[in-house]
Amino acid sequence: MSDGVACTWMRGGTSKGGIFLAEDLPLDIEARDQFLLEVMGSPDTRQIDGMGGADPLTSKVGVVQLSKRDGVDVDYLFLQVFVDQEIVTDAQNCGNILSAIGPFAIEKGLVRAKADVTEVTVFMENTGQIAILSVQTPGGSVTYAGDARIDGAPGTASPVTCEFKDTAGSSCGSLFPTGSVVDRVQSVDVTCIDNGMPVVILKASDFGVVGTESREELDGNIDLKAKIEAIRIEVGPLMNLGDVSKKSVPKMTLVSTALNGGCISTRTFIPHRCHASIGVLGAVSVATAAVTEGTIAFPLARCGSGNERTLAVEHPSGEMTVVAKLSGGEVLSAALLRTARKLFDGRVFARTL
């Protein structure tokens, strides 16, 4: 279409991308994916002919529609558009883009704003799970201005609280999909876990690194990335994910002892580049492993005690705090603070539409 397609570009947490109403995109999946590739300018390492920012964290899409499910406001489908490959995948959730879905849904009239704070109940189509977002709506309108600050995003903004429940095994079928808290793969001990995001947890020292290196240093370590990718390919079927060679999951997280007073330090590959921070649901999975005895993360972590624990997961840009509620040593729910901001609202153009 020469007049373009309606789109709102938003930052959600430490990611950004295009948010669309489902009704504005092609119904045919192949046509939809081709359109989104062209919108982002993929495949191209610079994404020069599109809106993508030459990074997986800025090549993301949220598709939103009014939900027909009882007790749910909107359905949200996350799509990862690869930067340098002709791939659009729905194999994972994105908790960062999720934080933008609440404000978007209110502004588009899918959810009616309340006086001060509006709760938006979201069904995450990728994994069939529920998230409850608390959005600041003073006077009945969304505000993006506020004093909340998150590592990995500059300045301050209005807080968006994201609460996740019943996320264990959302992609892989169980919290520990291999049936064990530790497996030996490619002569390395690993923990495969899925509490909202499939993650393989690896001890940094097993790969000859400290685990607190910069993102750039780890990205430049070709041998390290090759070893991690070999493990990822092998664990895919073990985690009930099948052949993951063209998938964005599982994420691969190197863990080490926290240096800045947090629970644990992380460096995450998503999967072929080192993350500038860590994904929201990735942090939930890592935090869950940190409090679970027997995992790779457990002996390295400082998790405190009690049935409600504040777990700071350190990453290259700072830390992400997970508030976990436990019972009998199991994580029942997790909440995180994110921020979001509308960047533009208009129409986006691609060659095919």
Side-chain angles (χ1 to χ4, degrees):
M1 297 179 186
S2 60
D3 56 353
V5 173
C7 175
T8 302
W9 220 262
M10 298 188 73
R11 177 184 65 78
T14 55
S15 297
K16 67 178 177 180
I19 315 298
F20 296 86
L21 291 172
E23 64 194 52
D24 292 330
L25 291 174
L27 291 176
D28 178 75
I29 292 177
E30 184 175 342
R32 179 202 68 189
D33 289 354
Q34 181 59 39
F35 169 72
L36 294 175
L37 286 164
E38 293 182 13
V39 164
M40 289 297 179
S42 300
D44 174 36
T45 55
R46 296 186 301 157
Q47 292 184 315
I48 194 64
D49 197 38
M51 298 298 299
D55 190 294
L57 302 182
T58 58
S59 189
K60 298 186 173 188
V61 170
V63 182
V64 183
Q65 62 183 323
L66 194 65
S67 184
K68 297 179 181 179
R69 297 174 172 84
D70 291 340
V72 176
D73 295 312
V74 295
D75 295 342
Y76 153 58
L77 174 69
F78 171 71
L79 298 171
Q80 178 71 60
V81 182
F82 280 46
V83 174
D84 56 354
Q85 298 181 62
E86 198 170 352
I87 295 174
V88 178
T89 178
D90 63 358
Q92 66 174 82
N93 274 325
C94 179
N96 275 303
I97 293 297
L98 170 69
S99 64
I101 300 306
F104 174 87
I106 296 169
E107 288 209 19
K108 294 301 179 183
L110 302 179
V111 176
R112 180 176 295 180
K114 297 181 180 178
D116 296 310
V117 178
T118 302
E119 284 193 349
V120 180
T121 302
V122 180
F123 177 79
M124 298 181 287
E125 292 188 49
N126 302 72
T127 56
Q129 306 301 309
I130 299 291
I132 301 172
L133 311 180
S134 296
V135 181
Q136 303 298 305
T137 51
S141 297
V142 172
T143 181
Y144 296 100
D147 297 325
R149 183 185 301 274
I150 61 171
D151 290 330
T156 63
S158 177
V160 178
T161 302
C162 308
E163 183 178 8
F164 303 96
K165 297 181 178 179
D166 301 323
T167 53
S170 56
S171 295
C172 301
S174 61
L175 182 63
F176 295 103
T178 68
S180 176
V181 294
V182 174
D183 295 281
R184 192 153 183 88
V185 181
Q186 301 273 327
S187 301
V188 176
D189 287 335
V190 307
T191 290
C192 301
I193 187 168
D194 172 19
N195 199 9
M197 177 65 71
V199 176
V200 180
I201 297 177
L202 316 141
K203 189 161 61 174
S205 60
D206 286 343
F207 293 83
V209 297
V210 176
T212 55
E213 291 86 352
S214 70
R215 178 194 194 192
E216 292 74 19
E217 183 177 351
L218 293 175
D219 259 343
N221 191 331
I222 304 303
D223 289 342
L224 169 67
K225 293 204 295 185
K227 291 176 183 177
I228 290 175
E229 180 64 4
I231 292 173
R232 195 179 79 88
I233 295 299
E234 186 167 329
V235 300
L238 301 178
M239 297 181 72
N240 302 316
L241 296 171
D243 179 2
V244 298
S245 59
K246 294 184 178 181
K247 294 182 180 179
S248 56
V249 289
K251 309 303 186 187
M252 309 296 286
T253 297
L254 301 175
V255 294
S256 57
T257 302
L259 293 182
N260 299 305
C263 166
I264 197 163
S265 178
T266 64
R267 295 294 185 269
T268 299
F269 291 83
I270 55 173
H272 305 124
R273 292 189 66 181
C274 186
H275 203 308
S277 55
I278 189 171
V280 169
L281 289 160
V284 171
S285 288
V286 170
T288 301
V291 300
T292 303
E293 190 169 357
T295 67
I296 294 298
F298 184 79
L300 298 171
R302 304 186 189 99
C303 297
S305 60
N307 289 330
E308 183 169 309
R309 305 187 195 180
T310 301
L311 309 170
V313 178
E314 297 182 2
H315 55 70
S317 303
E319 59 90 10
M320 185 180 295
T321 297
V322 178
V323 179
K325 294 181 180 179
L326 294 83
S327 177
E330 295 184 3
V331 175
L332 300 180
S333 69
L336 300 97
L337 174 69
R338 297 280 83 192
T339 65
R341 191 167 80 85
K342 181 170 63 173
L343 304 178
F344 81 67
D345 190 23
R347 308 189 77 79
V348 69
F349 299 83
R351 293 185 299 275
T352 55
L353 287 180

